[in-house]
Amino acid sequence: MVNKFKTVCLTAAIASSSATFAGGLLTNTNQHVAFNRMMSREASIGIDGVYYNPAGVVFMGEGNHLAINWQLAYQTRTIKNDYKLFTNNVNNPTTPRDFKGKAFAPVIPSFQYAYNKGRWSLQGNFALTGGGGKCTFDNGLGSFEKIVGETAMGAIGLAGAIDNALGAEMFTSDQAFGKKGSYSFNSYMHGRQYYFGLSAGAAYKVSDNFSVYAGLRGIYATCNYYGYVEDIKVGNMPLYQVLDPSKENSANIELSCDQSGIGFTPMLAVDYKTGRWNFSAKYEFKTRMRLKNKSVNQLPSIGNLDDNLKNQMNKILTAKFMQAGLPQEQAMIKAEQTSTAVLANPTVVATTAALKQQFDSKIDKAIGEYADGKKIAGDIPSLLTVGVGYSPIDELHINVGFHWFDDYNATSYNNRNKLLKKRGTLEFNAGVEYDVTKKITVSTGWQNTNYGLTDKYMDDKSFVVGSNSVGLGGVYHITKKLDFSVAYFHTFYNHVKTSEEVTLAPGKTVTYNSDYTRNNNAFAAGVNITF
């Protein structure tokens, strides 16, 4: 049970820092204020097109074009878990239970630049292409507590085997593990994840109606994960007393890992204008990303379980035999003989051996992703975008767009990406922009995100859910060469429910239910400058 507990703790952190933005599993698509207020920008002609429609930027006027953007994003993630063992938590014996994580990114900058001359447009973009903040779970996750509860059941199972062999109550007493499987613990987790992207490229106007673009984005990823599960107590006995009673932190689990890596994304795009219509497409190739770990992790050891159990039994039995009238030396000898015989009992041997075997066989899975010095896969998926824009009158612009993220073929640690549906993530959007006056433009938009999720992929350590986002905002045209924009968008997330049958012992199963959802808000402001 201890190794399962480690696995949960060490793999949970990465979910706590996943992107607070719109887009795919590891891709931010809101890199300009215009997206926040309209959502559908794939077929628009503007400086934000350096990201959304780079081939179309060449159709802007000649000169220098610069965009400076600021965003603030706030997200909460809620998992409602229902599990019978939660009632054994002495500090909070309720089920179902809500576990909440909070992600807050107060300053998210991005910059777009283009220099247009003749048929050419030279472009650059800096933004957070993935991640974007820190998420904190102050009380850990439901999967943390699930395994603590199961660890407690495993502890009382071992205690029962020992006491049955002994023919007396020792570890199952109320002063030790007890018989109910009650437990307590403290846990905390936070993660921070930033993928900084800097791109450069050029668009060329093949004709007055058709343009092409080629570019390259360099990505630097920096991540940090920290968390712990400590002070684990089963009944009235701290768990460390059977792992290493000389160290009060011997049963504690602490994760402290920094990750960094570099990747490159080639990009191609086209744009075609005809009358009041505009058509565009962009393809970003898969970004191969390998993240290197620098870790200082603390893990419990189960290797001395037999010796520690024996020492505990010797102390208790020696005191018991002395109370019965035996001299200390004889009491110690009898205690040694008794504890040796008990721990040699076939049932006790089988129980402890099973725990050790389980621990040893899964140790690499437990710590592999965050082992010091190791490089792990974290690819950013390829992305195809298509957009259509139409202006029935000069003042009105209507856009629709489509995104496809090939998440299934973006390699992640232990090929977890293969648990997704092969179709990947699909997004559909639409937006409307209207020039109220020569000075004021208003806009609104909508986007639907549908991930290729499966039940096997869903867990509280790394989950996403489908959503609908809406945005609105406006532009104040201060001068012909200076615009100021503000925007707000909100995401309405679906609920995804899963159910898992957990076998605690032969013939004894309980159901672990989960209900996943999120809540997201983003505010943005920025200026577009032509000079």
Side-chain angles (χ1 to χ4, degrees), residues 308-366:
N308 289 324
L309 286 172
K310 187 174 183 179
N311 290 336
Q312 288 282 335
M313 293 180 67
N314 285 343
K315 291 179 183 179
I316 297 171
L317 290 172
T318 296
K320 180 179 179 180
F321 294 150
M322 288 178 65
Q323 288 176 358
L326 284 179
Q328 182 177 4
E329 184 175 350
Q330 293 183 21
M332 292 176 65
I333 293 173
K334 186 175 182 180
E336 175 76 18
Q337 293 172 343
T338 304
S339 60
T340 299
V342 168
L343 293 175
N345 178 275
T347 302
V348 175
V349 170
T351 304
T352 55
L355 289 175
K356 290 181 180 180
Q357 182 180 12
Q358 187 184 50
F359 181 91
D360 293 337
S361 65
K362 296 183 179 180
I363 185 69
D364 182 67
K365 180 180 178 181

Side-chain angles (χ1 to χ4, degrees), residues 167-181:
E169 188 177 83
M170 180 183 291
F171 289 111
T172 57
S173 69
D174 291 338
Q175 289 72 38
F177 289 140
K179 301 182 181 70
K180 298 179 180 179

Side-chain angles (χ1 to χ4, degrees), residues 25-65:
L25 295 176
L26 198 60
T27 308
N28 293 337
T29 56
N30 54 341
Q31 299 189 17
H32 189 279
V33 180
F35 174 89
N36 294 56
R37 61 183 174 84
M38 190 178 175
M39 299 291 176
S40 185
R41 299 296 300 177
E42 290 72 28
S44 293
I45 304 298
I47 185 57
D48 62 288
V50 171
Y51 174 73
Y52 299 103
N53 180 21
V57 175
V58 73
F59 292 114
M60 298 177 67
E62 290 195 350
N64 297 277
H65 306 273

